[in-house]
Amino acid sequence: MMKQRKILYGGDYNPEQWLDSPDILECDIKYMKAAGINVVTVGMFAWSVLEPEEGKYEFAWLKRIVDNLYQNGISVIMGTPSGARPKWLADAYPEVLRVRDDGVRFLFGRRHNHCYTSPVYREKVGSINKALAECFHTHPAVIMWHVSNEYEGKPSCHCSLCKAAFQKWLKGRYETIEKLNAKWCTTFWSHRYQSFEQVEPPSSVGEQELHALTLDWKRFVTEQMADFAENEIRALKEGGISQPVTTNLMYDYQCLNYDRLSQCFDLVSWDSYPVWHRGSDILTARDNGMQHDFMRSLKHQPYLLMESSPSGTNWQGVSKLKKPGLLRAAGLQALAHGSDSILYFQIRQSRGASEKFHGAVIDHYGGMDTRVFEEVAAIGKELQNLGEIAGSRVRADVALIYDIENLWALEEAQGPRNDGMYYHETVMKMYNAIKKLGVNVDVLSAARDISSYKLLAVPMLYMFREGIGDRLKEFVQKGGSILLTYWSGVVDENDRCFLGKTPYGLTDMLGLRRKEIDGLYDEEINVLVPEEKEKEPFREAEMPEGKMQERYVCRNLCEILDVWNARTLMVYEKDFYRGTPAVTESHYDQGVVYYIAADGEQRLYDHLLEKLAGTAGITPIVSGKIPESVEVCSRESEGTEYVFIQNFHHEAVEIKAMELDGCVLLGERKEVLNPFETLILKRGIAGE
Ligand code: GLA
Ligand code: ZN
């Protein structure tokens, strides 16, 4: 990406808000340099200043800003302005505004709410993008383009243009209306269609319970957004750009399929705003780490942390400040997971409107002598010695399947628990268990290649789209290990239930089938106990080798299994299915699968994944016991490994049980890690 390796450091900068204050603009440059900032993102919300009247472009001010940044050694990520439009545009062409699912068109205002099908909007965005590209594509400051801002798929647009595009898309997918009727099961409640033109998008005042329709609508919205993004990128290319293009993705965003959207871009970037200091910070760090891993795994290459707050936000329920040291820990966590940047929203705090109280590098007080500025500047200084990390890759032997189409189907299904299926929570239990092992993990959709991993964690994979079951089976056949849970392999890509034994296609391998699934009330629990101990008081010492040795609480969902060829590790302790299998182990060809039939507590996942990782030959990044609040990650580049050890606790923690070889790149080799402290080690990779 860049000639000299460096970590990109900076953030969103909105000089258009300060054009009448040259002293402030000058001060910004001085402060950026003092903070070690080497890149800023500009232009993203500047449409009304860049094109104050239709067709009248005014780029001179931006050119002056970009020149000045360049002269001061600061690079630019050039934004395109489609995320928010000028009033004149909405007034002249109301079709650019989104329409609600009850047919009402939104009024002008806010952002991220344009119709992504509207030919007029695409044309206007295309024109300004092309003009910007023509003006800036050869500018030496511009290292990257950033189209739009946080593309949003919710609420989706229900205008007549989008509806017609949906019908056309369905025709391409199903060819005949008979095929659509069959795949969508429309004979149920007599909802058969006679033509594609009759199909309406799902709506709160219309159809909402034809799940295949809802699923295809969500797929269509993603496709349409990707098409919109491609239109933006095409215009930039027509304007002559050769720099890479990205857009900023969001935390656990469920209204677009990022697997698909990210294909439009050269590199992935995302915006991270965790809720820190609420409960356990290591859990927040893990949750954030999981998103970092998901974003990195979209392309298996370095990505960017595009936004994060230097202190609080202004849109969370409570705008908590980051305690001293946390800003550094959170930034370095991005590097640990494979990001080549630490970027903030925003460089200078806006004076009015909705984000006037959002955290910023420079606040309304306007001095460098603030706690936040000092922390930002200290990080900027340290990053100057970490440039060699940029471009290095994360290698993982373990993958966790987190699949957005599965989530869409699972949560709409009207099945065993409409009061919460807890998919994300179950994914996180697996993720936490994996990270406790001190290994790297990729987080992938079920459509991705899994063949290079040794161990797969597959929680609640309700939907088996074409080929998924076969690929899981092949993975085990070739010696892979899988942890699979309840409510997997239930429906196809149209949310049509599989007939016959389920988990579909895997029952031979597992030696079991799901007979029934029981939904538990929120306050109900069951308990999983080792098989032999179900009728006796529990005595740990007597447990045979390789058996589970504990009792685990489970909630929400309990499957009742028919097991004919698997070893039962745990059984239920309660209810009419007391004594029946709840955790099993199946050996198939060269591999092994553990199956969990109920929503068990965290410790169950910890113990099973530890066992399975041992069988799968997974080696931790560093040996020795890792304290609960410590995260370990690594990146590699040309025979060198960078090991990150981070304490996400507000108290110091002992790390003397960890074997920390290699030389110190950041921090100090000591027996304790201070609150929110990071140690980065550098070492050669054995055998390279
Ligand atoms: C998002 C947006 C930014 C800003 C921040 C505030 O990430 O991309 O423009 O609104 O949120 O947290
Ligand atoms: Zn529309």
Side-chain angles (χ1 to χ4, degrees):
M1 182 191 315
M2 312 201 60
K3 282 183 213 95
Q4 192 204 342
R5 280 191 181 184
K6 67 174 164 191
I7 301 295
L8 298 180
Y9 193 55
D12 281 37
Y13 181 46
N14 297 98
E16 67 277 9
Q17 295 172 15
W18 304 96
L19 292 179
D20 56 358
S21 312
D23 51 324
I24 285 191
L25 293 174
E26 204 160 301
C27 181
D28 289 342
I29 300 274
K30 191 171 103 198
Y31 285 17
M32 286 178 205
K33 288 169 80 170
I37 283 173
N38 57 32
V39 69
V40 292
T41 306
V42 297
M44 211 135 49
F45 291 110
W47 198 340
S48 66
V49 188
L50 292 167
E51 190 180 358
E53 283 171 42
E54 184 164 5
K56 191 175 152 229
Y57 296 130
E58 288 188 2
F59 296 171
W61 66 270
L62 186 55
K63 176 85 174 25
R64 269 197 307 278
I65 301 266
V66 173
D67 287 346
N68 197 19
L69 287 163
Y70 182 66
Q71 278 151 21
N72 284 283
I74 299 162
S75 300
V76 164
I77 298 176
M78 185 59 75
T80 72
S82 66
R85 69 218 60 87
K87 181 76 163 85
W88 60 255
L89 201 156
D91 286 353
Y93 309 101
E95 72 163 58
V96 306
L97 301 173
R98 237 172 246 199
V99 170
R100 290 197 322 208
D101 75 348
D102 60 357
V104 174
R105 197 177 286 282
F106 283 97
L107 301 177
F108 174 78
R110 300 194 274 183
R111 60 176 181 170
H112 308 159
N113 51 6
H114 58 271
C115 168
Y116 32 81
T117 302
S118 158
V120 172
Y121 201 57
R122 288 178 177 216
E123 185 202 316
K124 295 291 162 199
V125 168
S127 303
I128 193 163
N129 283 12
K130 187 169 173 216
L132 279 168
E134 282 165 349
C135 183
F136 289 103
H137 73 286
T138 54
H139 200 294
V142 178
I143 56 163
M144 195 181 299
W145 291 76
H146 179 315
V147 298
S148 205
N149 189 69
E150 298 191 336
Y151 284 122
E152 279 191 26
K154 194 177 178 189
S156 52
C157 185
H158 291 245
C159 76
S160 55
L161 296 163
C162 285
K163 182 167 131 184
F166 179 48
Q167 292 165 346
K168 189 166 162 224
W169 181 82
L170 288 173
K171 214 170 195 164
R173 192 171 169 89
Y174 295 100
E175 288 161 5
T176 68
I177 198 68
E178 291 75 29
K179 206 164 152 201
L180 177 144
N181 278 314
K183 295 232 168 179
W184 284 14
C185 296
T186 56
T187 309
F188 181 81
W189 286 350
S190 253
H191 287 179
R192 294 175 75 104
Y193 301 101
Q194 291 150 302
S195 72
F196 287 101
E197 289 68 37
Q198 289 178 325
V199 182
E200 286 178 286
S203 163
S204 55
V205 290
E207 183 64 271
Q208 262 189 318
E209 297 188 0
L210 189 55
H211 300 139
L213 163 69
T214 310
L215 257 178
D216 273 344
W217 174 253
K218 290 182 175 175
R219 290 182 177 126
F220 161 77
V221 170
T222 291
E223 281 305 325
Q224 204 65 356
M225 199 63 87
D227 198 54
F228 181 88
E230 267 153 15
N231 178 70
E232 286 214 43
I233 298 167
R234 202 174 314 118
L236 292 176
K237 297 219 160 121
E238 279 168 19
I241 72 150
S242 54
Q243 298 92 339
V245 182
T246 191
T247 192
N248 49 348
L249 306 180
M250 290 177 270
Y251 168 87
D252 198 31
Y253 191 63
Q254 303 184 351
C255 306
L256 291 171
N257 181 349
Y258 280 170
D259 234 15
R260 167 68 186 94
L261 190 65
S262 62
Q263 288 168 10
C264 305
F265 300 97
D266 298 308
L267 79 166
V268 166
S269 65
W270 81 288
D271 303 342
S272 163
Y273 294 98
V275 178
W276 293 108
H277 311 314
R278 179 173 210 175
S280 148
D281 279 324
I282 182 63
L283 285 183
T284 305
R286 289 245 165 80
D287 192 61
N288 195 47
M290 187 279 210
Q291 294 294 316
H292 277 301
D293 287 338
F294 170 80
M295 297 294 172
R296 181 195 66 248
S297 305
L298 286 170
K299 285 194 183 290
H300 289 307
Q301 66 186 29
Y303 62 97
L304 301 182
L305 171 62
M306 185 57 82
E307 292 181 24
S308 58
S309 177
S311 54
T313 67
N314 70 313
W315 50 265
Q316 290 168 350
V318 170
S319 303
K320 193 91 201 142
L321 298 178
K322 289 189 165 102
K323 294 189 195 298
L326 197 270
L327 182 68
R328 178 175 184 265
L332 294 173
Q333 188 191 24
L335 301 195
H337 286 260
S339 166
D340 275 359
S341 71
I342 301 173
L343 302 175
Y344 302 118
F345 178 90
Q346 49 199 331
I347 301 292
R348 181 178 280 279
Q349 199 166 33
S350 53
R351 197 161 177 195
S354 94
E355 288 176 338
K356 57 187 173 292
F357 296 123
H358 193 287
V361 175
I362 308 166
D363 66 15
H364 297 145
Y365 158 68
M368 284 197 267
D369 53 339
T370 64
R371 182 181 73 93
V372 171
F373 188 90
E374 282 166 8
E375 285 199 37
V376 167
I379 298 166
K381 197 161 170 218
E382 282 181 335
L383 290 181
Q384 281 163 12
N385 299 322
L386 299 182
E388 64 181 275
I389 293 172
S392 60
R393 309 271 172 142
V394 172
R395 198 180 49 74
D397 289 332
V398 185
L400 168 65
I401 303 298
Y402 182 50
D403 190 287
I404 194 77
E405 290 206 4
N406 180 61
L407 178 146
W408 290 342
L410 178 80
E411 292 189 345
E412 290 278 329
Q414 298 178 289
R417 270 188 60 92
N418 301 318
D419 288 350
M421 293 292 287
Y422 299 106
Y423 178 51
H424 182 92
E425 290 76 2
T426 309
V427 169
M428 280 314 301
K429 281 184 208 165
M430 290 234 192
Y431 183 85
N432 291 338
I434 295 166
K435 284 310 290 181
K436 284 181 192 175
L437 299 171
V439 298
N440 293 327
V441 53
D442 287 344
V443 179
L444 308 167
S445 87
R448 304 283 298 283
D449 182 13
I450 49 173
S451 58
S452 66
Y453 301 100
K454 292 182 181 163
L455 171 59
L456 271 190
V458 188
M460 300 176 82
L461 196 57
Y462 166 73
M463 177 192 282
F464 274 12
R465 298 192 294 283
E466 189 74 45
I468 286 174
D470 292 342
R471 285 188 301 111
L472 292 175
K473 202 160 158 181
E474 196 188 324
F475 177 81
V476 179
Q477 251 162 354
K478 292 192 170 153
S481 302
I482 296 187
L483 180 58
L484 182 69
T485 79
Y486 58 95
W487 214 227
S488 289
V490 185
V491 300
D492 68 9
E493 73 277 8
N494 288 105
D495 202 37
R496 255 190 335 182
C497 295
F498 290 118
L499 302 179
K501 294 179 192 156
T502 59
Y504 186 71
L506 299 185
T507 54
D508 287 352
M509 171 173 93
L510 297 169
L512 59 83
R513 82 170 185 91
R514 167 189 314 111
K515 290 198 291 187
E516 294 181 84
I517 183 162
D518 193 14
L520 274 57
Y521 293 113
D522 287 350
E523 62 281 7
E524 245 186 302
I525 60 158
N526 204 321
V527 178
L528 308 179
V529 289
E531 191 182 14
E532 301 82 347
K533 298 292 146 187
E534 182 236 329
K535 296 183 189 69
E536 303 166 24
F538 178 67
R539 280 195 300 275
E540 186 161 325
E542 287 172 15
M543 292 302 299
E545 181 78 14
K547 287 275 180 177
M548 300 296 286
Q549 306 201 352
E550 299 213 30
R551 296 156 57 88
Y552 305 92
V553 168
C554 63
R555 299 173 188 275
N556 303 314
L557 294 162
C558 294
E559 279 182 355
I560 307 172
L561 304 179
D562 177 11
V563 178
W564 60 84
N565 189 21
R567 182 166 158 212
T568 296
L569 300 181
M570 311 286 291
V571 297
Y572 292 107
E573 193 188 61
K574 295 171 186 275
D575 221 319
F576 69 92
Y577 37 95
R578 171 181 185 158
T580 69
V583 180
T584 67
E585 176 179 344
S586 320
H587 291 261
Y588 182 75
D589 211 327
Q590 302 184 47
V592 53
V593 188
Y594 285 7
Y595 188 81
I596 306 183
D599 180 0
E601 61 181 297
Q602 179 68 54
R603 286 181 318 127
L604 176 69
Y605 292 98
D606 294 350
H607 294 170
L608 285 173
L609 275 159
E610 194 181 348
K611 247 163 93 80
L612 209 49
T615 326
I618 309 283
T619 39
I621 297 164
V622 296
S623 38
K625 190 164 166 32
I626 305 169
E628 187 76 21
S629 68
V630 170
E631 192 187 67
V632 183
C633 295
S634 70
R635 297 175 66 159
E636 299 181 4
S637 166
E638 294 157 7
T640 302
E641 186 178 26
Y642 301 97
V643 177
F644 292 73
I645 297 157
Q646 299 198 271
N647 177 21
F648 281 101
H649 192 43
H650 57 269
E651 283 173 21
V653 57
E654 262 191 28
I655 52 165
K656 62 178 179 216
M658 297 171 75
E659 279 176 37
L660 304 174
D661 44 341
C663 56
V664 173
L665 194 63
L666 183 83
E668 255 182 90
R669 199 195 310 270
K670 298 175 300 187
E671 297 204 331
V672 291
L673 269 184
N674 288 329
F676 306 124
E677 193 181 354
T678 300
L679 176 64
I680 307 179
L681 299 168
K682 178 180 171 180
R683 63 191 193 193
I685 301 171
E688 286 192 34

